[in-house]
Amino acid sequence: MSEDARKAAALIEERAPGRNPKVGLVLGSGLGGLGDQVEDAVAFPFSELPGFPQPTVEGHAGRLILGTLSGVEVACLQGRVHLYEGHPATTVQPLVRTLKLLGCETLVLTNAAGALDLDAKPGQLMLITDHINGQGTNPLLGKNDDSFGPRFPAMTGAYSKALQARMKTVAAEQGVTLREGTYIALLGPTFETPAEIRMCQAMGANAVGMSTVPEVIVARHCGMECAAVSVLTNMGAGLADEELSHDQTLEFAQKASATLQELIKGFVGTFA
Ligand code: HPA
């Protein structure tokens, strides 16, 4: 597994020499458009990279893109894997570790999530300040590779306070409302029952989704700093009248994507 990351990074460095990405990006549902704005881009389909899985869900392309965004060298994962596709959680190891081996010290993640706070509105953005791993599995299961990080990594500062402050500054400059709170990841692929939504609220979560937590765990294990933003595409099940659907998720992700893309571009620009 860790060999896959080394092989993938070596292959990328051989085919795209001289690149030195500082910031890694994981682009979620309907938000992959940012990958298309990367300048001077070289793209590697996941199918060409050792150990990289093939995403299956609609709206997820599956490419690693190297290039420049807001004047900063970046490496983007356009299309991510979700555990509900049937992949073991360890599948995310090579994706995140390849970004680390390419030189990324920071990982920025976006996702679509259901809102748990009653005053939230679909289409709003939420800065993730902490997470709850409710997926019943962990991407670091199995033998630890000490060359990446320790057996028992701390998750106290999973979402860097300094990066949170930076993201809030950029949001304020752009006049973007940025909620904040705890993100709980469940396994999916079912949306939650109203009872599960009440459980998530009782646990102290502000948004619920099916991604991000595995990548953040692998990133923290190998010492990357993380910043993550959710697009709240809908109210959690039972909190509003509508029945949840993937189409609604994509529709609101699409509606908010211009705002989110500007926010992330502004944020990445602070690394110049
Ligand atoms: N639940 C879980 N995942 C989601 C949701 C939701 O309501 N909306 C977008 N992704």
Side-chain angles (χ1 to χ4, degrees):
M1 200 77 73
S2 34
E3 279 319 300
D4 284 334
R6 285 185 238 282
K7 282 185 201 152
L11 183 150
I12 291 165
E13 278 164 354
E14 188 190 312
R15 289 216 224 142
R19 302 281 176 151
N20 188 19
K22 274 204 254 188
V23 178
L25 293 146
V26 180
L27 307 171
S29 303
L31 308 169
L34 199 55
D36 301 327
Q37 297 189 32
V38 171
E39 292 163 29
D40 202 12
V42 195
F44 296 86
F46 284 179
S47 56
E48 291 178 10
L49 299 173
F52 277 52
Q54 281 301 290
T56 57
V57 82
E58 232 178 289
H60 297 255
R63 304 190 300 162
L64 188 155
I65 304 166
L66 291 178
T68 307
L69 192 66
S70 308
V72 174
E73 281 200 60
V74 296
C76 294
L77 297 176
Q78 190 183 40
R80 59 148 57 103
V81 286
H82 294 89
L83 304 194
Y84 61 69
E85 292 169 69
H87 302 290
T90 49
T91 308
V92 305
Q93 286 180 15
L95 290 98
V96 174
R97 288 175 177 173
T98 298
L99 299 188
K100 166 78 180 185
L101 291 172
L102 291 172
C104 298
E105 295 292 341
T106 301
L107 191 63
V108 184
L109 308 98
T110 63
N111 64 37
L116 301 173
D117 293 335
L118 297 180
D119 63 343
K121 305 245 176 323
Q124 284 183 331
L125 304 181
M126 188 190 93
L127 178 67
I128 301 180
T129 56
D130 204 350
H131 76 220
I132 298 172
N133 178 7
Q135 297 194 305
T137 184
N138 193 294
L140 299 177
L141 288 181
K143 193 173 181 305
N144 186 57
D145 184 335
D146 297 329
S147 68
F148 283 102
R151 171 76 290 188
F152 300 108
M155 286 291 137
T156 319
Y159 301 85
S160 153
K161 282 262 189 284
L163 295 184
Q164 287 179 44
R166 225 190 248 232
M167 191 74 81
K168 286 196 248 187
T169 302
V170 175
E173 282 167 6
Q174 295 184 353
V176 173
T177 302
L178 189 59
R179 304 179 66 88
E180 52 185 276
T182 297
Y183 172 88
I184 182 167
L186 300 181
L187 195 52
T190 44
F191 285 115
E192 299 69 36
T193 62
E196 287 164 345
I197 289 296
R198 291 193 296 276
M199 173 192 76
C200 295
Q201 290 172 318
M203 286 173 138
N206 307 94
V208 57
M210 307 173 190
S211 69
T212 305
V213 165
E215 291 104 322
V216 168
I217 290 174
V218 175
R220 290 303 299 145
H221 177 252
C222 65
M224 298 170 87
E225 299 288 324
C226 296
V229 179
S230 294
V231 178
L232 303 174
T233 52
N234 56 276
M235 297 305 291
L239 300 181
D241 294 337
E242 86 256 16
E243 179 90 342
L244 300 187
S245 71
H246 186 55
D247 287 346
Q248 188 198 345
T249 301
L250 286 180
E251 184 192 325
F252 274 89
Q254 219 61 61
K255 278 187 187 157
S257 73
T259 313
L260 180 59
Q261 288 180 20
E262 284 312 306
L263 177 65
I264 299 299
K265 279 196 281 184
F267 179 77
V268 169
T270 65
F271 290 84

